[in-house]
Amino acid sequence: MMYLIRLSLVCCVACFSLNGCIEQLSTEEYNELCPYERKYGGWSFYLEAPLFIEPHKPSYKVGDTVNFKVLVSDDMNDLSRDEVFKIKDFPFKPSHELYRIDTSGWVTGYNGNELYIDSIYSPSLVNPSLGWSGSIRGRPTYEEGIYFMEHQVVFREPGRYVHLVRDVIETIDGHLISEGKIPEYAAVSNDSGCPEPHSYGVCYILQGDPHYDRYYTELRFLNKEVKLDKMCSFDEELDEVLSGSACRINTEWSGVFGFEVVE
């Protein structure tokens, strides 16, 4: 059943911790049992989760409907090991943030627009807090080897927008996950053969042009004023734009997408 979520927001306090470590083994012992080269160090699995924005355009008109969709096979690529593993029953919890940014600052991009999401995803709309806009969260379905979640926004407010999505796993102490102390993560099936318990990061990869070059001003503002210098990118052209003191939010792994809504 589809329904329209009004902005009766749920308060949430977020603390960030993406990756844990497995302390029971030495690095040498782990490498012997898990003989894959790892690009990013550590023992975490960096799960690639494709994000689709449809239609995918640099500009929309007031009244247009845009669909935001996460679709992941359980034959899942680990970006660190660059290998595909069967990952079953993973509790993905994407948290979509939307910012409308202008010379006076920013507001939650869901304000003034219409948001639709099926109740099957157990959605909630979370109150803005330090470092987060209001965000739409949910739990993808998992059927026949496919994780799937979508929501639609009907745009009523013109302006320049930046979208990003991060997983709620970032709000959980990674040590608790890697030590198997959170049942929903401990129940994940991972056929890599690497020692359990596993720790995870979730990387929401936008399928299509993110339009970085058109939104330098907005990205710089978002990094400095909202994310407190925690944004970074693999794109060298963004080094000056996102020259922060820390790297906690990678644009390529966080579904960052700039677009405009016009009258």
Side-chain angles (χ1 to χ4, degrees), residues 93-97 132 135-137 164-168 204:
K93 295 180 182 177
S95 180
H96 294 263
E97 303 172 41
W132 298 74
S135 58
I136 179 65
R137 296 183 179 181
L164 66 86
V165 56
R166 302 164 71 193
D167 201 272
V168 174
Y204 291 102

Side-chain angles (χ1 to χ4, degrees), residues 43-58:
W43 300 348
S44 292
F45 289 77
Y46 291 73
L47 305 182
E48 181 177 358
L51 169 71
F52 300 86
I53 297 177
E54 301 168 340
H56 191 110
K57 302 193 299 184

Side-chain angles (χ1 to χ4, degrees), residues 67-227:
N67 190 45
F68 297 80
K69 179 170 66 178
V70 173
L71 191 157
V72 191
S73 167
D74 63 8
D75 289 316
M76 209 172 301
N77 187 37
D78 168 26
L79 294 172
S80 182
R81 293 165 179 80
D82 196 24
E83 295 279 349
V84 173
F85 302 112
K86 179 74 74 175
I87 309 291
K88 296 181 179 180
D89 298 313
F90 189 84
F92 286 104
K93 295 180 182 177
S95 180
H96 294 263
E97 303 172 41
L98 190 62
Y99 300 85
R100 187 165 67 248
I101 300 171
D102 60 26
T103 55
S104 64
W106 69 274
V107 297
T108 296
Y110 298 114
N111 285 349
N113 297 309
E114 297 174 14
L115 172 62
Y116 294 88
I117 185 169
D118 199 304
S119 58
I120 195 173
Y121 305 118
S122 301
S124 62
L125 194 59
V126 181
N127 197 43
S129 61
L130 181 64
W132 298 74
S133 84
S135 58
I136 179 65
R137 296 183 179 181
R139 179 75 177 266
T141 57
Y142 179 47
E143 298 177 355
E144 298 182 354
I146 298 294
Y147 300 91
F148 183 79
M149 177 179 165
E150 64 179 351
H151 68 275
Q152 293 80 38
V153 178
V154 180
F155 286 102
R156 303 298 183 191
E157 292 290 334
R160 292 173 69 81
Y161 290 79
V162 176
H163 165 275
L164 66 86
V165 56
R166 302 164 71 193
D167 201 272
V168 174
I169 197 172
E170 296 185 35
T171 70
I172 302 170
D173 186 330
H175 287 82
L176 297 177
I177 295 173
S178 65
E179 293 167 6
K181 294 181 178 178
I182 301 181
E184 61 183 343
Y185 293 99
V188 174
S189 171
N190 181 328
D191 78 346
S192 64
C194 298
E196 295 188 41
H198 306 103
S199 58
Y200 295 96
V202 178
C203 305
Y204 291 102
I205 310 296
L206 179 68
Q207 308 301 295
D209 188 347
H211 309 141
Y212 296 150
D213 57 339
R214 305 184 188 201
Y215 290 88
Y216 285 159
T217 299
E218 289 77 14
L219 287 173
R220 183 181 289 110
F221 176 89
L222 185 61
N223 179 44
K224 293 291 185 181
E225 302 300 327
V226 184
K227 298 303 182 182

